[in-house]
Amino acid sequence: MYAATTLPGFCRLVAHQDPEEGVTVIAKDRDAPTFLGGASLAYLIHIQTKDGDRPQDKEWE
């Protein structure tokens, strides 16, 4: 909420494509917090880096 109300250049990046085909790893029909500044774009996502049968065996970045 802080970023959305106080920082210039804050927006949401929306992905409607199949995540296997797109340039982002944003889940289909989801969005990510994004900052625009000059010619730069930065977005925040989390991806699973390790899978496992138990929740404690899974890792995310």
Side-chain angles (χ1 to χ4, degrees):
M1 185 58 95
Y2 170 79
T5 59
T6 61
L7 299 176
F10 178 83
C11 58
R12 305 292 295 187
L13 182 63
V14 178
H16 295 289
Q17 80 279 358
D18 181 2
E20 301 294 324
E21 298 174 7
V23 294
T24 70
V25 287
I26 299 172
K28 183 177 179 182
D29 296 325
R30 300 296 302 263
D31 63 1
T34 306
F35 290 96
L36 301 172
S40 298
L41 170 101
Y43 62 96
L44 178 66
I45 59 168
H46 66 276
I47 58 170
Q48 189 170 6
T49 57
K50 183 178 175 186
D51 196 16
D53 294 331
R54 302 176 308 161
Q56 57 267 34
D57 294 335
K58 298 179 182 184
E59 292 181 2
W60 297 80
E61 285 186 351

